[in-house]
Amino acid sequence: MILKRILQFNLKNGHCLRRRAHNYATIYESNDSKNVGKKAKVQGWVKALRKMKDNIFLDLNDGTSSQPLQVVLKKGMKPENLSYGCSMTVEGEITVAPNGRAELQVDKIDIIGKCDLEGYPFLPRKQYSEDYIRRYLHLRPRTKAFSSTMRLRDLATNAIRDHFRDRGFINIHTPILTSNDCEGAGEVFIIQPNSQELVQAMKTEGVDVESTYFNSKAFLTVSGQLHLEACARALSKVYNFSPAFRAENTKSRLHLSEFYMIEAEMAFIASLKDLATEAELLVKSVTFSLIEKGSSDLQVLEAPEPTWLNKDFGYITYTEALDILDKNSDRLTFPIKPGEGLAKEHELFLVHHLGDVPVFVTEWPVNSKPFYMKECEDDKSKVQAMDLLAPTVGELIGGSVREDNYSKLKSKIPPGLNLDWYLELRKFGNVPTAGFGMGFERYLQLISGVPNIKDVIPFPRWPHNCSL
């Protein structure tokens, strides 16, 4: 009972305990008008510096808010290494500035780390292109727009986990290293030891170098779906939120070699419509949360208003999508190829044509989708698959009802894929399952309006680029 009371106390008063431990207020807290008249000690980096007749005005930020705290310093108190970009600690009283915002009147100032502007790539009051900023990934978080993007990424991460918890899903940590090529497309990165000494020590006769460590080839995962299917057959509703890796030779604004995927898998579900409803709920729930908690950062990024948020998502078949595209072929650059996937231009056209509202395209040709998708009952040439197409990014979510028939699945597994364990799931207490995956970075592009996917992830990797 005593331990229980201590735990309850710590949970209730955790914030106060942390404040007492370091005795500093955050910039976010200091900007609260409730603190006017109080003494405060804050830390951060100088984001702007303005010298007036008697005072020096500093914009100080510690990354907790898009809005810096204005700090007023008497000229006589100016320390030697004060400059744009330096880090500091200041103490003083929080007052109200003429514009109605909080500001701190400095009593004491200490420079923690100076900033040598001669070698600093981001000078004050200068605008830089995203390509230029991307050259300095280690310093990029200090730019205003990118720090806002990272705060939104954090909010979205928590909103996704809260949504799934509220919906009764259990989080599964699916493996990063795997013997499976889930999509069967060969777009995988192979894993092997870098140490030749280790390779020689572990080498087995008849086993190639790539199989030395695990006795079989191992890859960086392209998806945790197959592992989630195993867990769904015991836990009913599961999800992961993990990195995924695709070895594609593309540098487009919508592709990365390493990215994050949110994947959900549900047992006892065989309806594509029910699956689409679950995916729609996820997108809307997380977006509502970002608007509520991240409005200031969305304003910094000049994010587009999600006018689709209070509307039902569209729902059309692949055949209906082709019909729309065919009737508007004169407005398209790339020809439509029935039986194949849609080009990005086709995806964005469909979204715009249907009112700039995200739209599910369902019932895809068998040959355009992976082996694990279940055939449509009324048309064996198609599978019960869905792609959610969204403004700006095109395909955002992909999902399907999974093939639950042992014999049919066995006949569809591509040669060379050792998936006996996956087949075995269909032998012991089998149930229908369905699931989907959403690219996290593409979702962030959709909500923030950031045009290039490389600018919504802290350290992007793409062909010929893996710095840091």
Side-chain angles (χ1 to χ4, degrees):
M1 180 60 73
I2 292 176
L3 288 175
K4 183 177 180 181
R5 288 176 178 172
I6 291 174
L7 178 60
Q8 290 174 337
F9 175 82
N10 284 342
L11 290 174
K12 182 179 179 180
N13 298 284
H15 179 69
C16 295
L17 292 173
R18 288 194 297 273
R19 283 289 301 278
R20 289 171 188 162
H22 59 60
N23 202 31
Y24 291 98
T26 66
I27 297 297
Y28 178 82
E29 293 166 335
S30 301
N31 272 320
D32 193 331
S33 59
K34 296 177 182 177
N35 293 315
V36 171
K38 296 180 181 179
K39 291 285 186 177
K41 181 190 291 187
V42 296
Q43 299 173 312
W45 294 268
V46 176
K47 298 299 182 181
L49 188 153
R50 300 174 297 280
K51 297 178 181 179
M52 300 300 180
K53 183 178 180 181
D54 299 316
N55 297 316
I56 299 173
F57 293 87
L58 310 174
D59 286 347
L60 195 68
N61 208 329
D62 60 0
T64 59
S65 171
S66 62
Q67 181 65 44
L69 175 67
Q70 179 164 280
V71 172
V72 184
L73 174 70
K74 297 292 184 184
K75 274 196 172 180
M77 297 177 63
K78 178 182 179 294
E80 181 180 351
N81 293 320
L82 178 64
S83 71
Y84 171 82
C86 73
S87 56
M88 64 171 58
T89 298
V90 290
E91 298 181 47
E93 181 180 338
I94 296 177
T95 60
V96 180
N99 62 5
R101 297 195 60 85
E103 66 179 13
L104 189 140
Q105 300 287 335
V106 176
D107 296 329
K108 182 179 179 182
I109 180 170
D110 291 303
I111 302 297
I112 299 173
K114 67 177 183 179
C115 182
D116 185 357
L117 294 182
E118 187 173 334
Y120 193 56
F122 306 133
L123 297 178
R125 296 180 296 279
K126 287 197 70 174
Q127 297 293 320
Y128 298 96
S129 71
E130 296 304 326
D131 283 341
Y132 174 84
I133 294 172
R134 223 174 284 135
R135 298 179 200 170
Y136 304 94
L137 296 181
H138 59 302
L139 297 173
R140 184 168 68 157
R142 304 188 188 193
T143 62
K144 185 175 183 179
F146 193 75
S147 59
S148 282
T149 304
M150 291 301 97
R151 282 189 292 269
L152 288 170
R153 186 181 176 105
D154 172 64
L155 288 174
T157 297
N158 289 313
I160 287 165
R161 288 172 175 151
D162 289 344
H163 170 81
F164 278 121
R165 186 177 293 111
D166 290 344
R167 298 288 297 166
F169 284 76
I170 295 171
N171 181 229
I172 302 296
H173 294 143
T174 52
I176 302 300
L177 303 182
T178 177
S179 59
N180 305 314
D181 177 3
C182 177
E183 302 296 320
E187 296 172 342
V188 292
F189 292 98
I190 199 162
I191 299 296
Q192 64 184 69
N194 189 46
S195 167
Q196 292 304 307
E197 183 179 343
L198 179 61
V199 169
Q200 291 302 317
M202 297 184 67
K203 191 170 178 59
T204 304
E205 187 175 348
V207 177
D208 59 33
V209 173
E210 293 174 344
S211 303
T212 297
Y213 193 89
F214 293 107
N215 289 346
S216 64
K217 288 184 178 181
F219 313 100
L220 291 176
T221 184
V222 298
S223 168
Q225 177 206 313
L226 303 189
H227 298 96
L228 286 179
E229 285 193 52
C231 293
R233 284 173 167 81
L235 301 170
S236 292
K237 296 169 72 174
V238 295
Y239 81 100
N240 71 2
F241 193 163
S242 302
F245 307 85
R246 300 282 170 92
E248 297 176 283
N249 186 19
T250 177
K251 301 177 184 178
S252 85
R253 68 177 187 87
L254 293 167
H255 290 86
L256 290 166
S257 300
E258 177 186 2
F259 56 97
Y260 276 73
M261 284 276 285
I262 301 101
E263 298 176 283
E265 198 72 26
M266 291 154 280
F268 308 103
I269 179 173
S271 164
L272 201 56
K273 189 70 175 177
D274 289 345
L275 183 66
T277 297
E278 198 68 54
E280 182 173 344
L281 284 172
L282 171 66
V283 174
K284 288 183 173 179
S285 170
V286 177
T287 304
F288 273 120
S289 183
L290 285 185
I291 291 173
E292 178 187 359
K293 299 176 182 178
S295 59
S296 60
D297 285 312
L298 289 169
Q299 289 174 9
V300 168
L301 297 175
E302 299 181 350
E305 183 182 355
T307 55
W308 44 264
L309 196 52
N310 291 307
K311 300 176 182 178
D312 291 335
F313 288 1
Y315 195 89
I316 61 174
T317 65
Y318 174 83
T319 301
E320 290 170 333
L322 285 188
D323 185 55
I324 292 171
L325 295 171
D326 184 58
K327 290 177 179 177
N328 293 275
S329 59
D330 59 323
R331 301 169 63 185
L332 301 172
T333 304
F334 297 100
I336 307 149
K337 297 181 179 179
E340 297 184 6
L342 302 177
K344 190 61 60 184
E345 178 194 26
H346 302 152
E347 294 173 348
L348 295 175
F349 181 86
L350 288 170
V351 172
H352 181 67
H353 181 80
L354 296 169
D356 290 315
V357 174
V359 56
F360 289 100
V361 178
T362 67
E363 300 177 24
W364 288 73
V366 169
N367 294 334
S368 69
K369 292 295 180 181
F371 67 91
Y372 49 73
M373 298 186 175
K374 191 176 181 66
E375 295 173 353
C376 294
E377 293 182 4
D378 58 347
D379 186 349
K380 303 303 181 184
S381 69
K382 296 177 181 176
V383 288
Q384 296 183 53
M386 64 172 201
D387 281 2
L388 177 63
L389 311 181
T392 306
V393 297
E395 183 188 350
L396 176 65
I397 290 177
S400 73
V401 177
R402 315 309 190 189
E403 180 57 73
D404 59 344
N405 182 287
Y406 180 94
S407 299
K408 286 185 177 181
L409 180 60
K410 185 175 182 180
S411 69
K412 293 196 294 184
I413 293 177
L417 289 187
N418 183 12
L419 290 174
D420 290 345
W421 67 271
Y422 185 64
L423 277 169
E424 201 168 70
L425 294 174
R426 276 72 177 166
K427 292 174 64 175
F428 308 116
N430 190 34
V431 294
T433 65
F436 64 82
M438 179 173 79
F440 185 44
E441 282 74 26
R442 285 197 185 180
Y443 170 75
L444 292 173
Q445 282 186 272
L446 168 67
I447 299 306
S448 67
V450 173
N452 197 311
I453 198 169
K454 301 175 186 67
D455 301 322
V456 293
I457 190 169
F459 301 100
R461 278 79 175 91
W462 69 94
H464 306 296
N465 285 274
C466 187
S467 60
L468 278 67

